Amino acid sequence: MASPRSAATGGLGFRGNVAKQGSTQSNNTRAGAAAAAAAGALDNSSNVSSSNNIPVHPRARRDGRYMNLSRDDSSMGGGDSEMGSEFLYTVHIPATPDHQPMMSATPSSVRSMDPGIAVKAEQQFVSSTIFTGGFNSVTRGHVMEKMMEGESNHPQLACARGAVCAVEGCDGNAMRDERGEDMVPCDCQFKICRDCYIDALNGSGKCPGCKDEYKILDEPMMKSSNNSSTKGATTDTDLRALPPPSTDSGNKNLERRLSLLKTQPNNNNNNNQSSDFDSARWLYQTKGTYGYGNALWPKSDGYTGPTDTSIPPAVGAQPDFVDKARRPLSRKISVSAGILSPYRLLVLIRLVALVLFLTWRISHPNTDAVWLWGMSVVCEVWFAFSWILDQFPKLCPINRSTDLQVLKEKFEMPTPENPSGRSDLPGIDVFVSTADPEKEPPITTANTILSILAAEYPLEKLCCYLSDDGGALLTFEALAEAASFARVWVPFCRKHLIEPRNPETYFLLRRDPTKNKVRHDFVKDRRQVKREYDEFKVRINGLPEAIRRRSDAYNAHEEILAKRTQLETGIDGSDAPKVPKATWMADGTHWPGMWIQSAKEHSRGDHAGIIQVMLSPPTSEPLMGSSDNGNIIDTTDIDIRLPMLVYMSREKRPGYDHNKKAGAMNALVRTSAIMSNGPFMLNLDCDHYIFNSNALREAMCFFMDRGGDRICYVQFPQRFEGVDPNDRYANHNTVFFDVNMRALDGLQGPVYVGTGCVFRRMALYGFDPPRARDHGGCWSFCCCCCSREKSKMKTLKMSQRGAEVASLAGGMSDEDEDVEAVMLPKRYGSSVIFAASIPVADYQGRPLADKGVHNGRPAGALTVPREPLDASLVAEAINVISCFYEDKTEWGSRVGWIYGSVTEDVVTGYRMHNRGWRSIYCVTKRDAFRGTAPINLTDRLHQVLRWATGSVEIFFSRNNAMLASPRMKFLQRVAYLNVGIYPFTSIFLLVYCFLPALSLFTGQFIVQTLNLSFLIYLLIISVCLFGLAVLEVKWSGITLIDWWRNEQFWVIGGTSAHLAAVFQGLLKVMAGVEISFTLTSKSGGEDEDDLYADLYVIKWSSLFVPPLTIMLTNGIAIVVAVVRTIYSSNPEWSKLVGGVFFSLWVLMHLYPFAKGLMGKGGKTPTIIYVWSGLLAVIISLLWVYLSPSSNSQSQGLSGGFQFP
């Protein structure tokens, strides 16, 4: 997978000068990523003239070297473009004794470094350096001696243990290659570190060991074939860049802009060009000979088909080459007509019954209690409207299936277009976000990372990024520990096909671990890995105390030094020296992020941007393990490479709106575009891990299939662990994930739910889908008067957006490209490297070209190795995560995750569907991802409160579905409209839950009398509702218990969290009051022996007041009504039965809430009893006041109602 090259020109460390046009308003210059020494980072204080600097962009040549292109030669814009805006800065890498640019212009007496060694040493340098920087600050690269207290020797791990430099007086690490082996630039095998090697070249040019001059290879980028572990030498074409999106040989602008090369002519042959039988292809794929009937068909590795009696059994059936080449990767499975037709019929019957019932209710008022009748009718009309919004999008449910075998045959098997058999799958960048290590335990995050690193996907195509929005050293060192443990866990999973690949979950499984295991050493390996994991957990759990003790020791030492300096300088020693209470890393340097004791530029909302490559990019060739006694397990014939792992903490400064999780996700998008540029991205919460190791391949089956270029994302259902068996508070959300989401998949696609979703990068960049079309529907008839003019404006805007990729790929004229170069910074920011990555991501994300495939790419185009990751790219990544980068851009408004709502996930998905994209809902046989859910009542209600508040914000914003474009289907629009409206149902639900109690208190009912018409309508509506539930159970796979739990919690949440969300949303819209939410705790209860201990923890919240009031009111009303009717001289049993029935209906729905308040073992808070008693007294006094004793004497105990 190729990544866009930086503005560097080669060499070692930060290669040459990395410069951008400077600020027009300030003489302050930003120093870029200074070369670091082991003692600490070197600051750059020199000023660089920004007006005369010409940025340099490299372009890959066929020989593997780079040639320079200046800004004047590049089509990205000139000196008068918007790239010189006020937020751009100058990055200059100074020449220091520890850093000398080797590939830049040097005197003839200075020898240049062997480029082959330079690339490998650069990788080692990057993986051992922590990069920091931000707005108005120096970008530093600090070489770390170690990231954690322990040590590890995996070749990809940052700061891995290795040989020491043999130069006298130097204790640096000797240069190593990508396999962890010592890399010596001289035949005498003298081991030397990177810095000493640079000094030797810049000095005498001789080896410090044998005193002979260093020899430079003529073809340094060619890999040698003398390595016994690598079968077959790779050629220089293996190091070529990716083919361009266009095969036009005259496209010079694209060659200048992107590090791409043309594909070989024979690679562009695909099934689009000819349908004739390809005999050469047949011979290659079947290993057969000419003349069917004259030669036997192969017994193995050949084609198999249906049994044919005319062909000998040992020979096999005649293959169908055309069908094999075009087998679909996914299939749409419709719901059985025997279930779907009755389902739709019941919807129609209930709709008609509701219309007739409401008509009857309106035409038959209760003259004895008009106020009661009026409130009930208004509530029932709203409930009917809400039911329509919820039910209509469920009319077209579908299921889907994938074929992973076809995916493997098309993308990972040797073919004429891909003789080497390397993976042709596109790259995937996985994002994991965390913010608070106290509420999101590091061990949980570490297990999620380990499950990602062990996923079944090509290692060189998989990259994992952790966003630590808190900038905590605890998260950093926990990730380093996870990277170290991955060297044991990942090979163990590959060797024994472990599922699931979350170590915590795997070792807690209550089943026979030896089932289906065939290797004789499995039990031994499992025992060794289990012991390593237990030690790993102990180290993680001990990190907070270790960091505190280490920091205290270093701070005490600093205080002693400060005191000594104070005495030596003769300053009055009575005043204690002011030494900041810093947090210290394992190598004895200050942590650049948040300190334990907050200080200026080291607090949660004020710290520099940080990037650390924990695991460097793997090699393109497999790295097989060995049976060395030093290994934990025998890894012979097991690939021990690990995917790239990056720690990232974006810069935060006071006075900037960092936009919470959405801002962190957009920072990850930009960082990954610079460093790996995978065309697809998977985002996971820190507590959601990969449960099915093939989940990423399942998603690729949809993206790489016919029509996959129109898919913006593939959403997986959320599955949860640790939920109580009864699912008291409907934590599994099975009705939503298995009913609503499957139904939406039959329309334009499911909504985005925040995690477990694989995105197309181009869709997040705000581009329109190819071949988008309008869906008129009812809205076009309502707006026919003005729709034509709006359609023209929309078409013009869409055509402009559709030209963006073409302009970046060099498909426009020079004048149009100048305009696009000016507009790019306003859309995506000032990074030229990021802009260059956009067409690369677009090209890599296309399906294979074939008949019926639009916008395809040639087979074998993504089999080239990844370009090495150099320090200048990481320095650019620091730039794009700075707090100022998004200013005056479209990030958060059209590009990336959308800002302005606490439910940024729903809004982001809505924007994509509004542009015409479609999404896919992928339900796998084995759950793709699993996570944790808050089983505590208080946490659960606050979670629902956050979701409902976001929906209210959506309703009052421009993201309201009533303002959607014609590209969104009508029923999809209805579904999104329901997302914004459902919290308002709580107002009517609250009133309706009090109506039975009011009816019982007053002796009246919502109807004049319980006549036959009312009962028949009620029966039809109820039976239809139950029938719809039964049919939904059949086509979705849920149970009736799940459906009933969902109904119960709908009432609980509707009378508490949804109601509070409506008032909070109105306050934000009308008064501008900002809403703040705390993270949901992922930690368990206090009782470690009880898995569900947190279920019984009661934390008082004001959200408890409305449902508790409803329960007490209805309970007291039932008692009062029964007593009054029994002792009444003229009892009205029909009204009593109606009122009691509806009161019991309310109490049955609130039963889980009441049970949750009871706690366990008498742990019910005292405030519950106090509040219950207070409400009982208030209700009793209110009833006495509304029903005076004078009336009771004349009416017995009938208790007529009178307003005071």
Side-chain angles (χ1 to χ4, degrees), residues 1-5 240-246 258-260 411 423-429 457 460-461 463 672-673 675-680 700 703-704 708-709 759-762 765 805 836-849 855-858 860-867:
M1 170 174 38
S3 59
R5 301 309 308 160
R240 70 187 186 277
L242 286 173
S246 173
L258 305 177
S259 300
L260 304 175
F411 292 89
S423 176
D424 200 20
L425 289 170
I428 298 180
D429 296 334
Y457 203 77
E460 63 275 11
K461 305 295 183 71
C463 301
S672 62
M675 300 181 68
S676 55
N677 199 30
F680 299 100
M700 287 302 105
F703 285 117
M704 295 292 103
D709 57 337
F759 283 95
R760 180 182 297 276
R761 187 179 288 270
M762 296 302 293
Y765 285 168
V805 178
S837 72
I838 296 176
V840 178
D842 173 61
Y843 178 75
Q844 292 179 347
R846 300 177 183 177
L848 293 182
N855 200 33
R857 61 172 173 85
L862 303 184
T863 59
V864 296
R866 180 199 303 271
E867 294 182 6

Coordinates of all heavy atoms in Angstrom, one line a residue, residues 1-5 240-246 258-260 411 423-429 457 460-461 463 672-673 675-680 700 703-704 708-709 759-762 765 805 836-849 855-858 860-867:
M1 N 0.8 -1.2 0.0 CA 0.0 0.0 0.0 C 0.9 1.2 0.0 O 1.7 1.4 0.9 CB -0.9 0.0 1.2 CG -1.6 1.2 1.5 SD -2.8 1.0 2.9 CE -1.9 0.0 4.0
A2 N 0.7 2.0 -1.0 CA 1.6 3.2 -1.1 C 1.0 4.3 -0.3 O -0.2 4.5 -0.2 CB 1.7 3.6 -2.6
S3 N 1.8 5.1 0.2 CA 1.4 6.3 0.9 C 2.0 7.5 0.2 O 3.1 7.5 -0.4 CB 1.8 6.3 2.4 OG 3.2 6.2 2.5
P4 N 1.3 8.7 0.3 CA 1.9 9.8 -0.4 C 3.2 10.3 0.2 O 3.4 10.2 1.4 CB 0.8 10.9 -0.2 CG 0.1 10.4 1.0 CD 0.1 9.0 1.0
R5 N 4.1 10.7 -0.6 CA 5.4 11.0 -0.1 C 5.4 12.4 0.5 O 4.6 13.3 0.1 CB 6.4 11.0 -1.3 CG 6.6 9.7 -1.9 CD 6.8 8.5 -0.9 NE 7.9 8.8 0.0 CZ 8.0 8.2 1.1 NH1 7.2 7.4 1.5 NH2 9.1 8.5 1.9
R240 N 8.2 -0.7 -7.0 CA 7.6 0.4 -7.8 C 6.4 0.9 -7.0 O 5.9 0.3 -6.1 CB 7.1 -0.1 -9.2 CG 5.9 -1.0 -9.1 CD 5.6 -1.6 -10.5 NE 4.4 -2.4 -10.5 CZ 4.3 -3.6 -10.1 NH1 5.4 -4.3 -9.7 NH2 3.2 -4.3 -10.1
A241 N 5.9 2.1 -7.4 CA 4.8 2.7 -6.8 C 3.5 2.2 -7.5 O 3.6 1.5 -8.4 CB 4.8 4.2 -6.9
L242 N 2.3 2.6 -6.9 CA 1.1 2.1 -7.5 C 0.8 2.7 -8.8 O 1.3 3.8 -9.2 CB 0.0 2.5 -6.5 CG -0.1 1.8 -5.2 CD1 -1.2 2.4 -4.3 CD2 -0.5 0.3 -5.5
P243 N 0.0 2.0 -9.6 CA -0.4 2.6 -10.9 C -1.4 3.7 -10.7 O -2.1 3.7 -9.7 CB -1.1 1.4 -11.6 CG -1.5 0.5 -10.5 CD -0.5 0.7 -9.4
P244 N -1.5 4.6 -11.6 CA -2.3 5.8 -11.4 C -3.8 5.4 -11.7 O -4.1 4.4 -12.3 CB -1.8 6.8 -12.5 CG -1.3 5.9 -13.6 CD -0.7 4.7 -12.9
P245 N -4.7 6.3 -11.3 CA -6.1 6.0 -11.6 C -6.4 6.0 -13.1 O -7.3 5.4 -13.5 CB -6.8 7.2 -10.9 CG -5.9 7.6 -9.8 CD -4.5 7.4 -10.4
S246 N -5.6 6.7 -13.9 CA -5.9 6.8 -15.3 C -4.7 6.2 -16.0 O -3.6 6.3 -15.6 CB -6.1 8.3 -15.7 OG -6.1 8.3 -17.1
L258 N 1.6 12.9 -7.7 CA 1.5 11.7 -6.9 C 2.8 10.9 -7.1 O 3.4 10.9 -8.2 CB 0.3 10.9 -7.2 CG -1.1 11.6 -7.1 CD1 -2.2 10.7 -7.5 CD2 -1.3 12.1 -5.7
S259 N 3.1 10.1 -6.1 CA 4.2 9.2 -6.3 C 3.7 7.9 -6.9 O 3.6 6.9 -6.2 CB 4.9 8.9 -4.9 OG 5.4 10.1 -4.4
L260 N 3.3 8.0 -8.1 CA 2.7 6.8 -8.8 C 3.4 6.5 -10.1 O 4.0 7.4 -10.7 CB 1.2 7.1 -9.1 CG 0.3 7.5 -7.9 CD1 -1.1 7.8 -8.4 CD2 0.3 6.3 -6.9
F411 N -8.3 -12.1 -4.8 CA -7.4 -11.1 -4.3 C -6.1 -11.7 -3.7 O -5.1 -10.9 -3.5 CB -8.0 -10.2 -3.3 CG -9.1 -9.3 -3.9 CD1 -10.4 -9.8 -3.9 CD2 -8.8 -8.1 -4.4 CE1 -11.4 -9.0 -4.4 CE2 -9.8 -7.3 -4.9 CZ -11.1 -7.7 -4.9
S423 N -1.2 -10.3 -1.7 CA -2.5 -9.8 -1.5 C -2.8 -8.5 -2.3 O -2.0 -7.6 -2.3 CB -2.7 -9.5 0.0 OG -4.0 -9.0 0.3
D424 N -3.9 -8.5 -3.0 CA -4.3 -7.4 -3.7 C -5.5 -6.6 -3.0 O -6.1 -5.8 -3.7 CB -4.8 -7.8 -5.1 CG -4.8 -6.7 -6.1 OD1 -4.1 -5.7 -5.9 OD2 -5.5 -6.8 -7.2
L425 N -5.7 -6.9 -1.8 CA -6.7 -6.3 -1.0 C -6.3 -4.8 -0.7 O -5.1 -4.6 -0.5 CB -7.1 -7.0 0.3 CG -7.8 -8.4 0.1 CD1 -7.8 -9.1 1.4 CD2 -9.2 -8.1 -0.4
P426 N -7.2 -3.9 -0.5 CA -6.9 -2.6 -0.1 C -6.5 -2.5 1.4 O -6.9 -3.4 2.1 CB -8.1 -1.7 -0.4 CG -9.3 -2.8 -0.4 CD -8.7 -4.1 -0.8
G427 N -5.9 -1.4 1.7 CA -5.5 -1.2 3.1 C -6.6 -0.8 4.0 O -7.6 -0.1 3.5
I428 N -6.5 -1.1 5.3 CA -7.5 -0.7 6.3 C -6.8 -0.1 7.4 O -5.9 -0.7 8.0 CB -8.4 -1.9 6.8 CG1 -9.2 -2.5 5.6 CG2 -9.3 -1.4 7.9 CD1 -10.0 -3.7 6.0
D429 N -7.2 1.1 7.8 CA -6.7 1.8 9.0 C -7.8 1.6 10.1 O -8.9 2.0 9.9 CB -6.4 3.3 8.8 CG -5.3 3.5 7.7 OD1 -4.5 2.6 7.6 OD2 -5.3 4.5 7.0
Y457 N -6.1 -10.5 8.3 CA -6.0 -9.5 7.2 C -4.5 -9.4 6.9 O -3.7 -9.5 7.8 CB -6.6 -8.2 7.6 CG -7.1 -7.4 6.4 CD1 -8.3 -7.8 5.7 CD2 -6.4 -6.3 5.9 CE1 -8.7 -7.0 4.6 CE2 -6.8 -5.6 4.8 CZ -8.0 -6.0 4.1 OH -8.4 -5.3 3.0
E460 N 0.7 -6.2 6.0 CA 1.2 -5.0 5.4 C 0.1 -4.1 5.0 O 0.3 -2.9 4.7 CB 2.1 -5.3 4.2 CG 1.3 -6.0 3.1 CD 1.2 -7.5 3.2 OE1 1.5 -8.0 4.3 OE2 0.9 -8.1 2.2
K461 N -1.2 -4.5 5.0 CA -2.3 -3.7 4.7 C -3.1 -3.2 5.9 O -4.1 -2.5 5.7 CB -3.3 -4.5 3.7 CG -2.6 -5.0 2.5 CD -2.1 -4.0 1.5 CE -1.6 -4.6 0.3 NZ -2.6 -5.2 -0.6
C463 N -3.2 -1.2 9.6 CA -2.6 -0.3 10.5 C -3.6 0.1 11.6 O -4.8 0.2 11.4 CB -2.2 1.0 9.8 SG -1.1 0.7 8.4
S672 N -3.8 9.3 9.7 CA -3.6 8.0 8.9 C -3.5 8.3 7.4 O -2.8 7.5 6.7 CB -4.9 7.2 9.2 OG -6.1 7.8 8.7
A673 N -4.1 9.4 6.9 CA -3.9 9.7 5.5 C -2.4 10.0 5.2 O -1.9 9.7 4.1 CB -4.8 10.9 5.1
M675 N 0.3 8.9 7.1 CA 1.2 7.8 7.4 C 0.9 6.5 6.7 O 1.9 5.7 6.4 CB 1.2 7.6 8.9 CG 1.6 8.8 9.7 SD 1.6 8.6 11.5 CE 3.0 7.5 11.7
S676 N -0.3 6.2 6.4 CA -0.6 4.9 5.8 C -1.6 5.0 4.7 O -1.5 4.3 3.7 CB -1.1 3.9 6.8 OG -2.2 4.4 7.5
N677 N -2.6 5.9 4.8 CA -3.5 6.2 3.7 C -4.3 5.0 3.3 O -4.5 4.8 2.1 CB -2.8 6.9 2.5 CG -3.8 7.6 1.6 OD1 -4.8 8.1 2.1 ND2 -3.5 7.7 0.4
G678 N -4.8 4.2 4.2 CA -5.7 3.1 3.8 C -7.0 3.6 3.3 O -7.6 4.5 3.8
P679 N -7.5 3.1 2.1 CA -8.7 3.6 1.6 C -10.0 3.3 2.4 O -11.0 3.9 2.1 CB -8.8 3.0 0.2 CG -8.0 1.7 0.3 CD -6.9 2.1 1.3
F680 N -9.8 2.4 3.4 CA -11.0 2.1 4.3 C -10.5 2.2 5.7 O -9.4 2.0 6.0 CB -11.5 0.7 4.0 CG -12.0 0.5 2.6 CD1 -11.2 -0.1 1.6 CD2 -13.2 1.0 2.2 CE1 -11.6 -0.2 0.3 CE2 -13.7 0.8 0.9 CZ -12.9 0.2 -0.1
M700 N -14.9 -6.3 3.3 CA -14.3 -6.1 2.0 C -15.1 -6.8 0.9 O -15.1 -6.4 -0.3 CB -12.9 -6.6 2.0 CG -11.9 -5.7 2.7 SD -11.8 -4.1 2.0 CE -12.7 -3.2 3.3
F703 N -17.4 -4.0 -0.3 CA -16.7 -2.9 -1.0 C -16.1 -3.3 -2.3 O -16.1 -2.5 -3.3 CB -15.6 -2.3 -0.1 CG -16.1 -1.5 1.1 CD1 -15.9 -1.9 2.4 CD2 -16.8 -0.3 0.8 CE1 -16.3 -1.1 3.4 CE2 -17.3 0.4 1.9 CZ -17.0 0.0 3.2
M704 N -15.6 -4.6 -2.4 CA -14.9 -5.0 -3.6 C -15.9 -5.7 -4.6 O -15.4 -6.2 -5.6 CB -13.8 -6.0 -3.2 CG -12.7 -5.3 -2.4 SD -11.7 -4.1 -3.4 CE -12.4 -2.6 -2.7
G708 N -19.8 -1.8 -5.4 CA -19.2 -1.5 -4.1 C -18.6 -0.1 -4.1 O -18.4 0.4 -2.9
D709 N -18.4 0.5 -5.2 CA -17.8 1.9 -5.2 C -18.9 2.9 -4.7 O -18.5 4.1 -4.5 CB -17.3 2.3 -6.5 CG -18.3 2.1 -7.6 OD1 -19.3 1.4 -7.5 OD2 -18.2 2.8 -8.7
F759 N -15.5 2.4 7.1 CA -15.8 3.6 6.2 C -15.0 3.5 5.0 O -13.8 3.0 5.0 CB -15.5 4.9 6.9 CG -16.6 5.3 7.9 CD1 -16.5 5.0 9.2 CD2 -17.7 6.0 7.5 CE1 -17.4 5.4 10.2 CE2 -18.7 6.4 8.4 CZ -18.5 6.1 9.7
R760 N -15.5 4.1 3.9 CA -14.8 4.4 2.7 C -14.2 5.8 3.0 O -14.9 6.8 3.3 CB -15.6 4.4 1.5 CG -14.8 4.8 0.2 CD -15.8 4.8 -1.0 NE -16.3 3.5 -1.2 CZ -15.7 2.5 -1.9 NH1 -14.5 2.8 -2.5 NH2 -16.3 1.4 -2.1
R761 N -12.9 6.0 2.8 CA -12.3 7.2 3.1 C -12.8 8.4 2.3 O -13.0 9.5 2.7 CB -10.7 7.1 3.0 CG -10.0 8.3 3.4 CD -8.5 8.1 3.2 NE -7.9 7.2 4.2 CZ -7.4 7.5 5.4 NH1 -7.4 8.8 5.7 NH2 -6.9 6.6 6.2
M762 N -13.1 8.1 1.0 CA -13.6 9.1 0.1 C -15.0 9.7 0.5 O -15.3 10.8 0.3 CB -13.6 8.6 -1.3 CG -12.2 8.3 -1.9 SD -11.1 9.7 -1.9 CE -11.9 10.7 -3.0
Y765 N -14.5 12.2 3.2 CA -13.9 13.4 2.6 C -15.0 14.3 2.0 O -14.6 15.4 1.5 CB -12.8 13.1 1.6 CG -11.5 12.6 2.2 CD1 -10.6 12.0 1.4 CD2 -11.3 12.7 3.6 CE1 -9.4 11.6 1.9 CE2 -10.1 12.2 4.1 CZ -9.2 11.7 3.3 OH -8.0 11.2 3.8
V805 N -12.0 15.1 -7.4 CA -11.0 13.9 -7.6 C -10.3 14.0 -8.9 O -9.1 13.8 -9.0 CB -11.8 12.6 -7.4 CG1 -10.8 11.4 -7.6 CG2 -12.4 12.5 -6.0
A836 N -2.4 15.4 -1.6 CA -1.9 14.4 -2.6 C -2.4 13.0 -2.3 O -2.4 12.1 -3.1 CB -0.4 14.4 -2.6
S837 N -2.8 12.7 -1.0 CA -3.2 11.4 -0.6 C -4.6 11.1 -1.1 O -5.0 9.9 -1.1 CB -3.1 11.2 0.9 OG -4.1 12.0 1.5
I838 N -5.4 12.1 -1.4 CA -6.8 11.9 -1.7 C -7.1 11.0 -3.0 O -7.8 10.0 -2.9 CB -7.6 13.2 -1.8 CG1 -7.5 13.9 -0.5 CG2 -9.0 13.0 -2.3 CD1 -8.1 15.3 -0.5
P839 N -6.5 11.4 -4.1 CA -6.7 10.5 -5.3 C -6.1 9.1 -5.1 O -6.6 8.2 -5.7 CB -6.0 11.3 -6.4 CG -5.0 12.2 -5.8 CD -5.6 12.5 -4.4
V840 N -5.0 9.0 -4.3 CA -4.5 7.7 -4.1 C -5.5 6.8 -3.3 O -5.7 5.6 -3.7 CB -3.2 7.8 -3.3 CG1 -2.6 6.4 -3.0 CG2 -2.2 8.6 -4.0
A841 N -6.1 7.3 -2.3 CA -7.1 6.6 -1.6 C -8.3 6.3 -2.4 O -8.9 5.2 -2.3 CB -7.6 7.4 -0.3
D842 N -8.7 7.2 -3.3 CA -9.8 6.9 -4.2 C -9.5 5.8 -5.2 O -10.3 4.9 -5.4 CB -10.1 8.2 -5.1 CG -11.1 8.0 -6.1 OD1 -12.3 7.6 -5.8 OD2 -10.8 8.1 -7.3
Y843 N -8.3 5.7 -5.7 CA -7.9 4.7 -6.6 C -7.8 3.3 -5.9 O -8.3 2.3 -6.4 CB -6.6 5.0 -7.3 CG -6.1 4.0 -8.2 CD1 -6.6 3.8 -9.5 CD2 -5.0 3.1 -7.9 CE1 -6.2 2.9 -10.4 CE2 -4.6 2.2 -8.7 CZ -5.2 2.0 -10.0 OH -4.7 1.0 -10.8
Q844 N -7.2 3.3 -4.8 CA -7.0 2.0 -4.1 C -8.3 1.4 -3.6 O -8.4 0.2 -3.4 CB -6.1 2.2 -2.9 CG -4.6 2.6 -3.2 CD -3.8 2.8 -2.0 OE1 -4.3 2.9 -0.9 NE2 -2.5 2.9 -2.2
G845 N -9.3 2.3 -3.4 CA -10.6 1.8 -2.9 C -11.5 1.2 -3.9 O -12.7 0.8 -3.6
R846 N -11.1 1.2 -5.2 CA -12.0 0.7 -6.2 C -12.0 -0.8 -6.3 O -11.0 -1.5 -6.0 CB -11.5 1.3 -7.6 CG -11.5 2.8 -7.7 CD -11.0 3.3 -9.0 NE -11.0 4.7 -9.1 CZ -10.5 5.4 -10.1 NH1 -10.0 4.7 -11.2 NH2 -10.5 6.7 -10.1
P847 N -13.1 -1.4 -6.8 CA -13.1 -2.9 -7.0 C -12.3 -3.2 -8.3 O -12.0 -2.3 -9.0 CB -14.6 -3.2 -7.1 CG -15.2 -1.9 -7.6 CD -14.4 -0.8 -7.0
L848 N -12.1 -4.5 -8.5 CA -11.4 -4.9 -9.6 C -12.2 -4.7 -10.9 O -13.4 -4.9 -10.9 CB -11.0 -6.4 -9.5 CG -10.0 -6.8 -8.4 CD1 -9.7 -8.3 -8.5 CD2 -8.7 -6.0 -8.6
A849 N -11.5 -4.3 -11.9 CA -12.2 -4.0 -13.2 C -12.7 -5.4 -13.8 O -12.0 -6.4 -13.8 CB -11.3 -3.4 -14.2
N855 N -15.9 2.0 -12.8 CA -14.9 2.7 -12.0 C -13.9 1.7 -11.3 O -13.6 1.8 -10.1 CB -15.6 3.5 -10.9 CG -14.7 4.6 -10.3 OD1 -13.8 5.1 -11.1 ND2 -14.8 4.9 -9.1
G856 N -13.5 0.6 -12.1 CA -12.6 -0.4 -11.5 C -11.2 -0.1 -11.7 O -10.8 0.8 -12.4
R857 N -10.3 -0.9 -11.1 CA -8.9 -0.8 -11.2 C -8.3 -2.2 -11.7 O -9.0 -3.2 -11.5 CB -8.3 -0.5 -9.8 CG -8.5 -1.5 -8.7 CD -7.7 -1.2 -7.5 NE -8.1 -2.1 -6.4 CZ -7.6 -3.3 -6.2 NH1 -6.7 -3.8 -7.0 NH2 -7.9 -4.0 -5.1
P858 N -7.2 -2.2 -12.3 CA -6.6 -3.4 -12.8 C -6.2 -4.4 -11.6 O -5.9 -3.9 -10.5 CB -5.3 -3.0 -13.5 CG -5.5 -1.5 -13.8 CD -6.3 -1.0 -12.6
G860 N -3.9 -6.7 -9.5 CA -2.5 -6.7 -9.1 C -2.0 -5.3 -8.9 O -0.8 -5.1 -8.6
A861 N -2.8 -4.3 -8.9 CA -2.3 -2.9 -8.7 C -1.9 -2.6 -7.3 O -1.1 -1.7 -7.0 CB -3.4 -1.9 -9.1
L862 N -2.4 -3.4 -6.3 CA -2.1 -3.1 -4.9 C -1.2 -4.1 -4.3 O -1.1 -4.3 -3.1 CB -3.4 -3.0 -4.1 CG -4.4 -2.0 -4.5 CD1 -5.6 -2.0 -3.6 CD2 -3.8 -0.6 -4.6
T863 N -0.4 -4.8 -5.1 CA 0.5 -5.8 -4.6 C 1.9 -5.3 -4.3 O 2.8 -6.1 -3.9 CB 0.6 -7.0 -5.6 OG1 1.1 -6.5 -6.9 CG2 -0.8 -7.6 -5.8
V864 N 2.1 -4.0 -4.6 CA 3.5 -3.5 -4.4 C 3.7 -3.2 -2.9 O 2.8 -3.0 -2.2 CB 3.6 -2.2 -5.2 CG1 3.6 -2.4 -6.7 CG2 2.6 -1.2 -4.7
P865 N 4.9 -3.3 -2.5 CA 5.2 -3.1 -1.0 C 5.0 -1.6 -0.6 O 4.9 -0.7 -1.5 CB 6.7 -3.4 -0.9 CG 7.1 -4.2 -2.1 CD 6.1 -3.7 -3.2
R866 N 4.8 -1.4 0.6 CA 4.5 -0.1 1.2 C 5.8 0.7 1.1 O 6.9 0.2 1.3 CB 4.1 -0.2 2.6 CG 3.8 1.1 3.3 CD 3.8 1.0 4.8 NE 2.9 0.0 5.3 CZ 1.6 0.3 5.6 NH1 1.2 1.5 5.5 NH2 0.8 -0.7 6.0
E867 N 5.7 2.0 0.8 CA 6.9 2.9 0.9 C 7.3 3.0 2.3 O 6.5 3.1 3.2 CB 6.5 4.2 0.3 CG 6.3 4.1 -1.2 CD 6.0 5.5 -1.8 OE1 6.2 6.5 -1.1 OE2 5.6 5.6 -3.0

